[in-house]
Amino acid sequence: MSGTTHTPVVSIAYHSGYGHTAVVAEAVRAGAAEAGATVHLIKVDEIDDAQWELLDASDAIVFGSPTYMGTASGAFHVFAEATSKRWFGDVWQDKVAAGFTNSASKSGDKGHTLNYFQTLAAQHGMNWVNLGLKPGWNSTTASENDLNRLGFFGGAAAQTNADEGAEAVHKADVATAEHLGRRVAEHTRVVLAGRAALTV
């Protein structure tokens, strides 16, 4: 067993109020799967014991929620508080973590939601993976179709007009979320390989 690694297991723990954030979650899933990870999508407002066990067994957990009133949704906060049972036992210690969010405004205080996810991950002793992209759409030669068009660094951020459905999630934001999924899977693979190497 020493010197070998298994396929990274990534779980995406998210809440979606109106379907927009679910589109972003699916994009993160697609990116991670493309990079070779086994991926589980877990709706935190419907989580059951088996899904808690999936989170506990995962190598990486990606948090996702819409930004409501400047922070993650109430449903996500309920889930976050329930993770205290894992906190007491250091169950998620040293797992990889990342996050994504969506709101109707270009900014919408999405950065606060991403910071909230980072704090939650830090409390669990997890290792945060940032977006790893320079900002897009910030010059005369740039475009709203650039990756990271909204210019966030802590995670993937999406903007969808309040009067449009989930099908209107911006394609550049979907592509940015796919990038985050790939980055999480690739980083997790490096972490697992490093741990395996240290056991030789």
Side-chain angles (χ1 to χ4, degrees):
M1 179 79 181
S2 65
T4 63
T5 59
H6 65 270
T7 299
V9 178
V10 177
S11 284
I12 300 168
Y14 76 99
H15 172 245
S16 183
Y18 299 96
H20 308 96
T21 308
V23 171
V24 184
E26 170 56 30
V28 175
R29 185 208 65 76
E34 179 189 326
T38 298
V39 191
H40 304 291
L41 281 172
I42 296 173
K43 297 180 179 179
V44 299
D45 53 330
E46 301 174 4
I47 194 167
D48 59 25
D49 289 343
Q51 290 173 322
W52 279 112
E53 290 173 11
L54 275 177
L55 290 176
D56 296 345
S58 296
D59 302 303
I61 301 174
V62 184
F63 301 126
S65 167
T67 294
Y68 293 154
M69 303 307 292
T71 188
S73 65
F76 190 91
H77 277 267
V78 169
F79 161 77
E81 289 184 22
T83 70
S84 63
K85 294 178 181 177
R86 272 73 193 159
W87 179 82
F88 279 109
D90 294 328
V91 177
W92 293 357
Q93 181 84 25
D94 293 328
K95 291 185 186 296
V96 172
F100 60 91
T101 188
N102 176 85
S103 73
S105 300
K106 296 294 190 292
S107 170
D109 290 320
K110 286 188 277 278
H112 184 267
T113 300
L114 294 173
N115 288 339
Y116 168 70
F117 292 156
Q118 289 176 69
T119 299
L120 176 64
Q123 289 190 336
H124 282 284
M126 303 169 81
N127 298 305
W128 188 261
V129 174
N130 58 48
L131 187 57
L133 287 174
K134 296 290 193 296
W137 202 20
N138 66 353
S139 72
T140 57
T141 59
S143 161
E144 68 171 295
N145 298 310
D146 292 342
L147 287 179
N148 196 20
R149 71 187 182 109
L150 300 175
F152 286 84
F153 294 92
Q159 179 271 331
T160 314
N161 293 332
D163 58 350
E164 291 188 287
E167 71 283 351
V169 176
H170 201 288
K171 298 302 183 221
D173 298 341
V174 170
T176 299
E178 290 172 348
H179 167 87
L180 178 67
R182 287 190 297 272
R183 183 167 165 84
V184 168
E186 291 161 0
H187 185 83
T188 303
R189 189 181 303 280
V190 169
V191 170
L192 294 175
R195 288 178 186 158
L198 290 171
T199 65
V200 174

